[in-house]
Each structure stands twice: as structure tokens, then as C-alpha cells.
Amino acid sequence: MADTMQAVIVHGPHDYRLEEVPVPVAGPGEALLKVEAVGICASDLKCYHGAAKFWGDENRPAWAETDTVPGHEFTGRIAAIDEEASKRWGVAVGDRIVAEQIVPCWECRYCNRGDYHMCQPHDMFGFKRRTPGAMAEYLVLPKEALVHKAPEDVPPWQVAYAEPLSCALHAVERADIRFDDTVVVAGCGPIGLGMIAGAAAKFPKRIIALDALPQKLELAKKCGADTVFNITEVDVVEEVKKLTGGYGADVYIEGTGHPSAVAQGLNLLRKLGTFVEYSVFKDPVTVDWSIISDDKELNVLGAHLGQNTWPAALRLIESGRLPLDEICSHQLPLAEFQKGLDLVADSANSVKVSLIP
């Protein structure tokens, strides 16, 4: 193994650089991973562009750190591991794994009650110096990491889709979908498509997918949507009410990250409906809260990461039920990370973009 490797280093918003850095060394109870593929998330793009969620503003401190390696959607093979780590995770040298994006502390009140995805320190691969991410040839899996064995007979860039898919499945679980529900999913990007597939597994009365791009809506049908609407061509609130006897949808899951999709969801839900918000927004969003309270008494729920949904995501990937060749649309070498970020921004011509170190 060489002493150095290529890695993308974060120096600040709009300043990511490909550099030659030392190969990290795994300590006791840790493992060294040879990265096979890393997906570029929309949150990576928003971090790159300086969103306040990551770099802070007058209302919150910065959460992201400089001088680290981005990338939290990844798979790879164990390159080095000691007996302690091997026993803990049930893996050995050569095994393909995925690791959950959060590295919990296992000591805070959230971790102690099983809500590890809301861990108070909230170290995540790719955003903190303590947990460098996977836009590199190698990374270290800390002893606190959550590691899962991954399918061997699926291309690595499709295995790495387990991260956004696990997030999508968590949003679906938060929605508490029932058999007679009309479920609307806004946004047919990588997470939105996973939401559709997850909702389909709950077998509701109908699933409606919303997007502005015809090709994304066609992909939504392949993932399980019964009906699709192009938001640029029809009044989706009116169309949903037509399908539901004038009531509106039972469940709305927002996965676009666009402010207009929030008001859209509030307007097309029925009274006592459920709104699940998953997106990371670049800027604050303002809505009429009277719709939530006095008008409809809505259940508004947030969703974050993929608590306990990774095994299901891996099973779904391995099942062959998803059109993964179409969802995982672009694979680029690590040196073309900037092109990858640009492709993620160009959602009309990409779905899931991955880097291959």
C-alpha cells in the first residue's frame, strides 16, 4: 500500500481541492476501508455552495468544518482491521461494507435511548475533521461507526445508494402510511425515488409523484408511483383533490428542497393529514402556519437520516426491484469531483452521481 493517496479536501465554500495526502492509519478497534464508490448528495452540493445549514449565519453556528474530506454515501472493502473491530462488526479483510453516515457518540441522551441518528455531538462522515469522508482512496472507520455487510453482486455505486435509500425509508416510516391512504411524494430525485419505492412497499391506495421533469416522472413510475403530475403543466392541488373526492392527500412527503414545495404540500393535504419534511433547504422557508393549525390540524413531522433502515435499504437494493441502472446515472473518477458537483446541480441531466476513487 502506498503512503499517500488522492483526496478531495474542503477549504471552505466553493473551495474544494484534489490533493495528495497521507493514507490514514486505523487505530485500535478501528478499520481501514478502501473506498470503491462515493455518491454526491444534494447536501454536499449545498455545503459546497455555502448554505447556512452548514456554515452558519446570525441564527446558528457553523457545523461543517474545513480541512476534512467530504463524502458520506459510500461503500468499500476492508483493507485492514484488528480482532476487536472484526468481532464487533462481523467483518474481515476483503469484505464489502457500508457505514451509516452518522458516527454516534453512544453516550448522549439520544444515543442512550436508541435515537442514535439524533446524537448530540452529531459527527458525520464528510463534514467533521474527526470523521473524514469517502472522496478519497481510503478512510478510517472509527470504533463508534455503524457498519453493515453489503451485497457482493451489485456494482459498488449502486451499493452506495443505500445511504439515500435508507433516508428515504426513514421518511416513509415517519409517515405511518395506511392501506387506504393517498400518498404524495414531491421530488423524484434519488431520495424521492426511494420514498416512492418505500411507500409502495406499504401498499397504500395510491401513490402520486410530483416533479418538473418528464424523465424523472417516468422513473417514478418504475419505482412504484401510480400517478404522476408535472408541476409545470397542471395545478397539482386541484388534481389531487379530484382524485380524492375533494378531500386532498392523506400523506405528503417533501423531498425537493425547494421552498415552493412546502406550501404546495400544506395546500394539497386533507384535514388531519400528515406532512413529512425530509429536505435540507439552502435558505429559510416561510409558510402560513394557520393552515397547519386552525385550518387543518395537520401532523407535521421532520425526518433525519436513516434510523434502523439500512438493512432494509440493502435488501431492497439486492432484490432487483429498483431500476438502479437508471437511478445511478453517472460514475466519474475522483479527479472529476467538480464535474460531479456540477452534474448534481444539473438535475435535468442526472439522478445519482458517484465518484470512483
Side-chain angles (χ1 to χ4, degrees):
M1 185 186 300
D3 294 329
T4 62
M5 66 176 185
Q6 286 196 321
V8 177
I9 304 296
V10 176
H11 291 277
H14 300 282
D15 190 5
Y16 289 20
R17 308 173 201 170
L18 186 68
E19 299 181 7
E20 195 79 15
V21 300
V23 173
V25 177
E30 300 180 332
L32 183 67
L33 187 74
K34 176 72 173 72
V35 179
E36 290 186 292
V38 53
I40 304 178
C41 179
S43 64
D44 291 320
L45 182 67
K46 288 168 184 174
C47 187
Y48 174 79
H49 283 298
K53 153 80 177 173
F54 302 99
W55 298 107
D57 58 16
E58 65 275 9
N59 298 315
R60 63 186 125 181
W63 176 70
E65 297 175 348
T66 58
D67 300 316
T68 191
V69 180
H72 59 276
E73 305 178 0
F74 60 88
T75 188
R77 294 188 182 276
I78 300 293
I81 192 169
D82 66 11
E83 184 178 356
E84 177 190 342
S86 181
K87 184 177 180 180
R88 181 194 314 116
W89 293 323
V91 297
V93 169
D95 285 348
R96 175 182 282 174
I97 64 94
V98 292
E100 299 195 24
Q101 64 287 83
I102 191 162
V103 182
C105 71
W106 301 115
E107 296 178 353
C108 70
R109 65 182 296 187
Y110 303 109
C111 287
N112 282 335
R113 69 186 190 190
D115 294 326
Y116 67 87
H117 65 306
M118 299 305 297
C119 173
Q120 184 71 3
H122 223 72
D123 289 341
M124 287 178 60
F125 285 109
F127 296 100
K128 301 288 189 178
R129 296 186 191 104
R130 191 179 85 82
T131 49
M135 292 188 192
E137 294 178 67
Y138 292 91
L139 68 74
V140 167
L141 297 168
K143 61 176 62 178
E144 300 88 355
L146 288 152
V147 172
H148 306 273
K149 270 192 174 181
E152 294 281 349
D153 55 351
V154 179
W157 50 90
Q158 295 182 4
V159 175
Y161 180 60
E163 194 279 341
L165 184 56
S166 71
C167 295
L169 296 183
H170 178 56
V172 168
E173 288 203 327
R174 291 282 282 162
D176 192 23
I177 295 168
R178 301 183 180 188
F179 294 127
D180 197 43
D181 282 349
T182 291
V183 179
V184 176
V185 175
C188 299
I191 288 184
L193 293 169
M195 291 169 175
I196 292 164
K202 299 286 187 179
F203 206 61
K205 185 175 183 178
R206 67 170 65 85
I207 299 170
I208 301 170
L210 309 179
D211 204 279
L213 297 169
Q215 64 270 32
K216 296 285 181 72
L217 292 171
E218 286 303 311
L219 202 47
K221 293 178 184 176
K222 295 180 182 181
C223 290
D226 303 296
T227 304
V228 299
F229 291 128
N230 189 317
I231 61 169
T232 68
E233 296 176 356
V234 300
D235 181 335
V236 295
V237 175
E238 181 181 339
E239 294 300 324
V240 169
K241 288 186 175 179
K242 283 181 184 176
L243 288 173
T244 56
Y247 287 99
D250 302 280
V251 173
Y252 180 84
I253 309 178
E254 201 290 302
T256 71
H258 195 284
S260 65
V262 179
Q264 171 183 268
L266 297 178
N267 289 327
L268 64 73
L269 277 170
R270 65 164 172 83
K271 295 176 183 179
L272 303 176
T274 297
F275 187 120
V276 178
E277 180 55 70
Y278 196 89
S279 296
V280 174
F281 293 89
K282 183 177 183 297
D283 299 303
V285 180
T286 301
V287 297
D288 181 357
W289 278 74
S290 294
I291 300 172
I292 298 169
S293 58
D294 195 52
D295 290 0
K296 295 185 177 181
E297 196 178 322
L298 298 176
N299 300 305
V300 179
L301 303 171
H304 178 59
L305 303 187
Q307 180 193 24
N308 299 325
T309 55
W310 282 73
L314 289 166
R315 290 197 305 271
L316 187 52
I317 286 170
E318 196 169 21
S319 73
R321 296 180 188 179
L322 296 174
L324 290 172
D325 289 340
E326 296 176 74
I327 294 173
C328 300
S329 58
H330 292 78
Q331 297 84 46
L332 303 171
L334 186 64
E336 295 183 20
F337 74 91
Q338 185 63 60
K339 180 180 178 182
L341 286 165
D342 294 342
L343 269 170
V344 174
D346 182 15
S347 60
N349 292 300
S350 69
V351 186
K352 171 50 63 182
V353 180
S354 299
L355 301 175
I356 310 299

